[in-house]
Amino acid sequence: MVKGPGLYTEIGKKARDLLYKDYQTDHKFTLTTFSPTGVTITSSGTKKGEFLAADVNTQLKNKNITTDIKVDTSSNLFTTITVDEAAPGLKTIFSFKVPDQRSGKVEVQYLHEYAAVSSSVGLTVNPTVNFSGVIGTNVASLGTDLSFDTKTGDFIKCNAGVSLSKVDLIASLTLNNKGDSLNASYYHIVNPLTAVGAEVSHSFSSNENTITVGAQHSLDPLTTLKARVNNAGKASALVQHEWRPKSFFTVSGEVDTKAIEKTAKVGLALALKS
């Protein structure tokens, strides 16, 4: 694999994962099974209040081609075909959803030692064209993320970002929503067991700030504790335990410290791999 700046989505990802990944207030169950022929089947269900959503995903791998077929409870059929390393650093992705005839999309990703490019176009008469590019190294990088609507002739997304990395810290700054919001994030590895992160967002149109800080600590090689709080008074925590290889049980909760009389929200997630 090419060791370079990575795709645009990698900018600020470490801080986002620490602050938001695995936090939930729903109940979720996932079961993944593997067959000797290389077929992977993943079944998942999520309960949100009184609503239950479920889907089944089948993944087939043949050399450098991966095919994913997913069916959900709304009778949607999602298909994704990925061709990896057709040429060094190149990945091609074709996806579509049935019955949505306008959902077809082709994406090409290219990773280089000093650059990364991703471009996609919808398979419609007047498609939306997406482009993101990053230049630099795995230490310092600068990138942009654009979406252009060929029907209206307008840019519907225009973002830019910069990332600086060292052995134990990553800092990033992004300008989003066509320049309306500024986001700064910071991720720091305090020691081999503990990491901290922070994110500050400012909206120029509303002149509002959102600040979120969090931490992650490994209680032991199989158990992770995470906590976060934001300036709106929402405090969350989770415990995740790997009770068997690649199988996780996660309990998370959220309280509103400005309305402590309200019932805390609790989420459960069980992911099994056999």
Side-chain angles (χ1 to χ4, degrees):
M1 180 178 289
V2 177
K3 188 176 182 181
L7 297 173
Y8 186 85
T9 52
E10 294 293 318
I11 295 179
K13 184 177 184 299
K14 279 286 189 178
R16 290 195 303 271
D17 284 351
L18 186 147
L19 293 173
Y20 305 109
K21 187 178 180 181
D22 295 323
Y23 286 101
Q24 64 174 10
T25 56
D26 307 318
H27 297 166
K28 185 174 182 179
F29 175 79
T30 304
L31 174 63
T32 303
T33 58
F34 305 89
S35 75
T37 58
V39 178
T40 302
I41 299 176
T42 301
S43 304
S44 66
T46 303
K47 187 175 184 298
K48 299 181 178 181
E50 299 299 320
F51 178 73
L52 178 63
D55 61 68
V56 178
N57 184 84
T58 302
Q59 184 181 86
L60 306 94
K61 289 187 177 182
N62 182 19
K63 297 181 180 180
N64 65 329
I65 301 177
T66 302
T67 303
D68 289 275
I69 302 173
K70 183 172 73 172
V71 180
D72 64 16
T73 48
S74 299
S75 299
N76 293 310
L77 175 66
F78 303 84
T79 301
T80 304
I81 301 172
T82 304
V83 181
D84 201 9
E85 294 289 331
L90 183 67
K91 178 186 289 187
T92 304
I93 304 169
F94 171 62
S95 62
F96 63 91
K97 181 178 73 171
V98 177
D100 186 357
Q101 299 179 358
R102 296 175 52 86
S103 63
K105 183 175 71 173
V106 175
E107 180 179 357
V108 176
Q109 298 177 358
Y110 178 69
L111 299 179
H112 183 269
E113 187 177 359
Y114 299 110
V117 175
S118 176
S119 182
S120 67
V121 59
L123 302 179
T124 61
V125 177
N126 302 112
T128 297
V129 179
N130 302 290
F131 173 84
S132 65
V134 180
I135 58 173
T137 66
N138 59 344
V139 175
S141 60
L142 174 68
T144 187
D145 185 23
L146 308 171
S147 289
F148 181 75
D149 188 337
T150 59
K151 184 176 182 179
T152 62
D154 296 328
F155 281 97
I156 56 178
K157 181 171 66 174
C158 186
N159 303 330
V162 60
S163 177
L164 300 174
S165 304
K166 292 182 66 177
V167 176
D168 59 347
L169 64 87
I170 302 173
S172 67
L173 185 68
T174 57
L175 188 64
N176 305 313
N177 300 325
K178 300 180 182 180
D180 181 63
S181 62
L182 186 66
N183 183 288
S185 65
Y186 177 77
Y187 174 85
H188 177 54
I189 300 175
V190 179
N191 57 53
L193 300 178
T194 306
V196 296
E199 182 181 68
V200 179
S201 300
H202 175 74
S203 173
F204 293 103
S205 59
S206 64
N207 199 32
E208 293 182 351
N209 296 315
T210 302
I211 303 171
T212 306
V213 296
Q216 173 179 303
H217 178 71
S218 296
L219 298 177
D220 59 52
L222 301 177
T223 308
T224 300
L225 175 65
K226 294 175 66 174
R228 71 179 184 196
V229 65
N230 62 24
N231 63 327
K234 298 291 182 65
S236 305
L238 72 79
V239 177
Q240 185 176 80
H241 179 67
E242 186 177 7
W243 60 282
R244 56 179 294 180
K246 298 182 180 180
S247 295
F248 297 90
F249 179 64
T250 306
V251 181
S252 57
E254 178 185 277
V255 295
D256 187 347
T257 60
K258 295 183 178 181
I260 202 67
E261 71 280 358
K262 292 184 179 180
T263 304
K265 299 179 181 179
V266 178
L268 301 172
L270 179 61
L272 305 177
K273 289 191 176 183
S274 58

